[in-house]
Each structure stands twice: as structure tokens, then as C-alpha cells.
Short mmCIF file of all heavy atoms in Angstrom, two decimals:
data_model
loop_
_atom_site.label_atom_id
_atom_site.label_comp_id
_atom_site.label_asym_id
_atom_site.label_seq_id
_atom_site.Cartn_x
_atom_site.Cartn_y
_atom_site.Cartn_z
N TYR A 22 0.84 -1.20 0.00
CA TYR A 22 0.00 0.00 0.00
C TYR A 22 0.87 1.26 0.00
O TYR A 22 0.61 2.22 -0.72
CB TYR A 22 -0.91 -0.02 1.22
CG TYR A 22 -1.65 1.27 1.48
CD1 TYR A 22 -2.80 1.59 0.78
CD2 TYR A 22 -1.18 2.18 2.44
CE1 TYR A 22 -3.49 2.79 1.02
CE2 TYR A 22 -1.86 3.36 2.70
CZ TYR A 22 -3.00 3.66 1.98
OH TYR A 22 -3.67 4.83 2.21
N GLY A 23 1.93 1.23 0.81
CA GLY A 23 2.83 2.38 0.85
C GLY A 23 3.51 2.62 -0.48
O GLY A 23 3.63 3.77 -0.93
N ARG A 24 3.96 1.55 -1.13
CA ARG A 24 4.60 1.71 -2.44
C ARG A 24 3.62 2.24 -3.49
O ARG A 24 3.97 3.06 -4.33
CB ARG A 24 5.18 0.36 -2.90
CG ARG A 24 6.37 -0.12 -2.08
CD ARG A 24 7.05 -1.31 -2.74
NE ARG A 24 6.17 -2.48 -2.83
CZ ARG A 24 6.09 -3.42 -1.91
NH1 ARG A 24 6.81 -3.33 -0.79
NH2 ARG A 24 5.28 -4.47 -2.07
N GLU A 25 2.38 1.76 -3.39
CA GLU A 25 1.37 2.15 -4.40
C GLU A 25 0.92 3.60 -4.24
O GLU A 25 0.75 4.32 -5.22
CB GLU A 25 0.16 1.23 -4.28
CG GLU A 25 -0.98 1.59 -5.23
CD GLU A 25 -2.22 0.73 -4.98
OE1 GLU A 25 -2.12 -0.28 -4.25
OE2 GLU A 25 -3.29 1.09 -5.52
N THR A 26 0.72 4.02 -2.98
CA THR A 26 0.10 5.33 -2.74
C THR A 26 1.09 6.41 -2.32
O THR A 26 0.76 7.60 -2.38
CB THR A 26 -0.96 5.22 -1.63
OG1 THR A 26 -0.31 4.87 -0.40
CG2 THR A 26 -2.01 4.18 -1.99
N GLY A 27 2.26 5.99 -1.88
CA GLY A 27 3.23 6.96 -1.36
C GLY A 27 2.97 7.35 0.08
O GLY A 27 3.71 8.17 0.66
N ALA A 28 1.94 6.77 0.69
CA ALA A 28 1.64 7.06 2.09
C ALA A 28 2.72 6.44 2.98
O ALA A 28 3.13 5.30 2.77
CB ALA A 28 0.27 6.51 2.47
N PRO A 29 3.19 7.15 4.00
CA PRO A 29 4.16 6.57 4.93
C PRO A 29 3.54 5.40 5.69
O PRO A 29 2.40 5.47 6.16
CB PRO A 29 4.48 7.73 5.88
CG PRO A 29 4.10 8.97 5.13
CD PRO A 29 2.92 8.57 4.30
N VAL A 30 4.28 4.31 5.81
CA VAL A 30 3.82 3.10 6.48
C VAL A 30 4.82 2.74 7.58
O VAL A 30 6.03 2.69 7.33
CB VAL A 30 3.67 1.92 5.50
CG1 VAL A 30 3.44 0.62 6.24
CG2 VAL A 30 2.53 2.20 4.53
N TYR A 31 4.31 2.49 8.78
CA TYR A 31 5.15 2.15 9.93
C TYR A 31 4.66 0.83 10.53
O TYR A 31 3.56 0.77 11.08
CB TYR A 31 5.10 3.25 10.98
CG TYR A 31 5.47 4.62 10.43
CD1 TYR A 31 4.47 5.51 10.03
CD2 TYR A 31 6.79 5.01 10.31
CE1 TYR A 31 4.80 6.76 9.53
CE2 TYR A 31 7.13 6.26 9.80
CZ TYR A 31 6.13 7.13 9.42
OH TYR A 31 6.45 8.36 8.91
N VAL A 32 5.47 -0.20 10.41
CA VAL A 32 5.09 -1.53 10.89
C VAL A 32 5.89 -1.85 12.16
O VAL A 32 7.13 -1.84 12.13
CB VAL A 32 5.34 -2.60 9.81
CG1 VAL A 32 5.05 -3.99 10.37
CG2 VAL A 32 4.46 -2.32 8.59
N TYR A 33 5.17 -2.12 13.23
CA TYR A 33 5.78 -2.45 14.52
C TYR A 33 5.54 -3.93 14.82
O TYR A 33 4.39 -4.36 14.90
CB TYR A 33 5.18 -1.61 15.64
CG TYR A 33 5.64 -0.18 15.67
CD1 TYR A 33 5.15 0.75 14.75
CD2 TYR A 33 6.56 0.27 16.63
CE1 TYR A 33 5.56 2.08 14.77
CE2 TYR A 33 6.97 1.59 16.66
CZ TYR A 33 6.48 2.49 15.74
OH TYR A 33 6.88 3.80 15.77
N ARG A 34 6.61 -4.69 14.98
CA ARG A 34 6.49 -6.08 15.41
C ARG A 34 6.67 -6.14 16.93
O ARG A 34 7.77 -6.26 17.46
CB ARG A 34 7.56 -6.94 14.73
CG ARG A 34 7.26 -7.22 13.27
CD ARG A 34 8.36 -8.06 12.64
NE ARG A 34 7.94 -8.59 11.35
CZ ARG A 34 8.72 -9.30 10.55
NH1 ARG A 34 9.99 -9.55 10.91
NH2 ARG A 34 8.25 -9.75 9.40
N PHE A 35 5.56 -6.05 17.64
CA PHE A 35 5.63 -5.99 19.10
C PHE A 35 5.94 -7.37 19.69
O PHE A 35 5.43 -8.39 19.21
CB PHE A 35 4.32 -5.49 19.67
CG PHE A 35 4.03 -4.04 19.36
CD1 PHE A 35 2.78 -3.66 18.89
CD2 PHE A 35 4.99 -3.07 19.56
CE1 PHE A 35 2.50 -2.34 18.62
CE2 PHE A 35 4.73 -1.74 19.28
CZ PHE A 35 3.48 -1.37 18.82
N PRO A 36 6.73 -7.41 20.77
CA PRO A 36 6.87 -8.65 21.54
C PRO A 36 5.65 -8.84 22.43
O PRO A 36 4.60 -8.21 22.20
CB PRO A 36 8.14 -8.39 22.35
CG PRO A 36 8.12 -6.91 22.58
CD PRO A 36 7.51 -6.31 21.33
N ASN A 37 5.76 -9.67 23.46
CA ASN A 37 4.66 -9.83 24.41
C ASN A 37 4.36 -8.48 25.07
O ASN A 37 5.27 -7.79 25.53
CB ASN A 37 5.03 -10.84 25.49
CG ASN A 37 5.21 -12.23 24.94
OD1 ASN A 37 4.24 -12.90 24.59
ND2 ASN A 37 6.45 -12.68 24.84
N LEU A 38 3.08 -8.14 25.09
CA LEU A 38 2.69 -6.86 25.68
C LEU A 38 2.27 -7.04 27.13
O LEU A 38 1.70 -8.07 27.51
CB LEU A 38 1.55 -6.23 24.87
CG LEU A 38 1.88 -5.94 23.41
CD1 LEU A 38 0.68 -5.27 22.73
CD2 LEU A 38 3.12 -5.07 23.28
N MET A 39 2.52 -6.02 27.91
CA MET A 39 2.28 -6.07 29.35
C MET A 39 1.42 -4.88 29.74
O MET A 39 1.89 -3.74 29.78
CB MET A 39 3.64 -6.04 30.05
CG MET A 39 3.62 -5.97 31.54
SD MET A 39 5.34 -5.92 32.10
CE MET A 39 5.11 -5.22 33.73
N GLY A 40 0.13 -5.14 29.95
CA GLY A 40 -0.81 -4.10 30.33
C GLY A 40 -2.06 -4.75 30.88
O GLY A 40 -2.18 -5.98 30.88
N HIS A 41 -2.99 -3.94 31.34
CA HIS A 41 -4.20 -4.51 31.95
C HIS A 41 -5.08 -5.12 30.86
O HIS A 41 -5.59 -4.42 29.99
CB HIS A 41 -4.99 -3.45 32.71
CG HIS A 41 -6.09 -4.04 33.54
ND1 HIS A 41 -5.92 -4.40 34.85
CD2 HIS A 41 -7.36 -4.38 33.23
CE1 HIS A 41 -7.04 -4.92 35.32
NE2 HIS A 41 -7.93 -4.92 34.35
N SER A 42 -5.24 -6.42 30.93
CA SER A 42 -6.07 -7.14 29.96
C SER A 42 -6.76 -8.30 30.66
O SER A 42 -6.49 -8.58 31.84
CB SER A 42 -5.21 -7.66 28.79
OG SER A 42 -4.23 -8.57 29.25
N ARG A 43 -7.63 -8.95 29.94
CA ARG A 43 -8.41 -10.04 30.51
C ARG A 43 -7.49 -11.20 30.93
O ARG A 43 -6.67 -11.66 30.14
CB ARG A 43 -9.41 -10.52 29.47
CG ARG A 43 -10.36 -11.60 29.98
CD ARG A 43 -11.41 -12.04 28.98
NE ARG A 43 -11.27 -11.51 27.66
CZ ARG A 43 -11.62 -12.20 26.56
NH1 ARG A 43 -12.07 -13.43 26.67
NH2 ARG A 43 -11.50 -11.66 25.37
N PRO A 44 -7.60 -11.68 32.18
CA PRO A 44 -6.78 -12.82 32.59
C PRO A 44 -7.23 -14.10 31.91
O PRO A 44 -8.35 -14.20 31.39
CB PRO A 44 -6.99 -12.88 34.10
CG PRO A 44 -8.33 -12.24 34.33
CD PRO A 44 -8.44 -11.17 33.27
N ASN A 45 -6.33 -15.07 31.90
CA ASN A 45 -6.62 -16.38 31.30
C ASN A 45 -7.01 -16.25 29.83
O ASN A 45 -7.85 -17.01 29.33
CB ASN A 45 -7.73 -17.11 32.08
CG ASN A 45 -7.33 -17.39 33.52
OD1 ASN A 45 -6.27 -17.94 33.76
ND2 ASN A 45 -8.17 -16.98 34.45
N TYR A 46 -6.38 -15.30 29.16
CA TYR A 46 -6.69 -15.09 27.74
C TYR A 46 -5.41 -15.23 26.92
O TYR A 46 -5.07 -16.32 26.48
CB TYR A 46 -7.38 -13.74 27.54
CG TYR A 46 -7.83 -13.48 26.12
CD1 TYR A 46 -8.69 -14.36 25.46
CD2 TYR A 46 -7.40 -12.35 25.43
CE1 TYR A 46 -9.10 -14.12 24.16
CE2 TYR A 46 -7.81 -12.10 24.13
CZ TYR A 46 -8.66 -13.00 23.49
OH TYR A 46 -9.06 -12.76 22.20
N ASN A 47 -4.67 -14.16 26.75
CA ASN A 47 -3.46 -14.27 25.93
C ASN A 47 -2.24 -13.62 26.56
O ASN A 47 -1.25 -13.37 25.88
CB ASN A 47 -3.69 -13.70 24.53
CG ASN A 47 -3.88 -12.20 24.55
OD1 ASN A 47 -4.28 -11.64 25.56
ND2 ASN A 47 -3.61 -11.55 23.44
N SER A 48 -2.30 -13.32 27.87
CA SER A 48 -1.16 -12.71 28.55
C SER A 48 -0.88 -13.45 29.85
O SER A 48 -1.69 -13.42 30.78
CB SER A 48 -1.44 -11.23 28.84
OG SER A 48 -0.45 -10.70 29.71
N ALA A 49 0.28 -14.10 29.91
CA ALA A 49 0.67 -14.80 31.13
C ALA A 49 0.86 -13.82 32.28
O ALA A 49 0.49 -14.11 33.43
CB ALA A 49 1.96 -15.58 30.89
N VAL A 50 1.41 -12.64 31.99
CA VAL A 50 1.65 -11.67 33.05
C VAL A 50 0.33 -11.19 33.65
O VAL A 50 0.18 -11.12 34.87
CB VAL A 50 2.46 -10.47 32.51
CG1 VAL A 50 2.67 -9.43 33.61
CG2 VAL A 50 3.81 -10.94 31.98
N SER A 51 -0.64 -10.89 32.81
CA SER A 51 -1.95 -10.47 33.31
C SER A 51 -2.59 -11.57 34.14
O SER A 51 -3.18 -11.32 35.20
CB SER A 51 -2.87 -10.09 32.16
OG SER A 51 -2.43 -8.90 31.53
N THR A 52 -2.46 -12.80 33.67
CA THR A 52 -3.04 -13.94 34.40
C THR A 52 -2.41 -14.09 35.76
O THR A 52 -3.11 -14.27 36.78
CB THR A 52 -2.88 -15.23 33.58
OG1 THR A 52 -3.59 -15.09 32.34
CG2 THR A 52 -3.42 -16.43 34.34
N PHE A 53 -1.08 -14.00 35.84
CA PHE A 53 -0.40 -14.15 37.13
C PHE A 53 -0.75 -12.99 38.06
O PHE A 53 -0.98 -13.20 39.26
CB PHE A 53 1.11 -14.22 36.93
CG PHE A 53 1.59 -15.49 36.27
CD1 PHE A 53 2.69 -15.47 35.43
CD2 PHE A 53 0.95 -16.69 36.50
CE1 PHE A 53 3.13 -16.63 34.82
CE2 PHE A 53 1.38 -17.86 35.89
CZ PHE A 53 2.48 -17.84 35.06
#
């Protein structure tokens, strides 16, 4: 899309995220 339109594109490959989220879902830290 960026090559086609010239719009700036920023892709972030995040590691495991640590924030308040639903426990027993997809975050071990939140669950603990």
C-alpha cells in the first residue's frame, strides 16, 4: 500500500505486551 500510494507506512512487530487485559486469555503476566 505504501509503495502504491506513497503514504508513509510504519510496521511495529511488538513482543509480548504487558498491560491490563483479561486474565486467562493471551497474557501470562496479566493472568499471574
Side-chain angles (χ1 to χ4, degrees):
Y22 170 80
R24 291 191 296 270
E25 177 186 348
T26 65
V30 170
Y31 305 96
V32 175
Y33 285 75
R34 285 179 167 176
F35 291 133
N37 294 287
L38 300 182
M39 175 181 159
H41 190 92
S42 61
R43 184 177 7 147
N45 298 309
Y46 184 56
N47 68 335
S48 169
V50 178
S51 291
T52 298
F53 290 147

